[in-house]
Amino acid sequence: MTATRGTRALLGVLFLAAATVGTWLLWLGWDDEYTVDAQTGATSGPYQAWQMIGCVLTLVLLAALAGTRLSPWLVALVMTVAFTAAWSWRAASTDDSGLWAVGGVLVLVGMAAGSTAVSLAARRFGRR
């Protein structure tokens, strides 16, 4: 039995959405502790640089692989919505100030730009 092109695309989209949310869970979803500098009192976090680097590299790999199999515009849409939803869900549930919405917009814009650029490049270079 062979899958139709539409079925393969749907399965690809579902896998990409799950992998994108899984990337958030793997690298960022478990960390919610902020660090306070004892000398200055400055607060940072909750994420460390190594977590962000790992998350970004994993998302780049996903976008590149998906961009060779699916429409780059579909890749960008799916990854942007999935990652932003996962990030926003956690941020909204832990933030009393409402500033999570600003972060959510920044995550949305960053994911849209990054996943679009990577998936378009992967499609272009993958066809050579």
Side-chain angles (χ1 to χ4, degrees), residues 5-97:
R5 188 175 182 177
T7 303
R8 283 194 309 266
L10 177 61
L11 290 174
V13 163
L14 293 174
F15 176 80
L16 181 60
T20 302
V21 171
T23 298
W24 173 81
L25 281 168
L26 174 70
W27 292 105
L28 308 176
W30 52 270
D31 193 355
D32 60 358
E33 293 185 24
Y34 287 83
T35 305
V36 179
D37 186 309
Q39 292 181 344
T40 64
T43 303
S44 65
Y47 311 125
Q48 301 296 319
W50 64 268
Q51 289 174 277
M52 294 305 300
I53 292 167
C55 184
V56 168
L57 290 176
T58 305
L59 290 170
V60 165
L61 180 64
L62 278 175
L65 291 173
T68 63
R69 305 246 184 230
L70 299 168
S71 162
W73 306 111
L74 187 59
V75 170
L77 177 67
V78 169
M79 289 186 74
T80 299
V81 169
F83 194 88
T84 303
W87 186 92
S88 296
W89 167 75
R90 168 59 74 81
S93 68
T94 60
D95 179 32
D96 295 331
S97 70

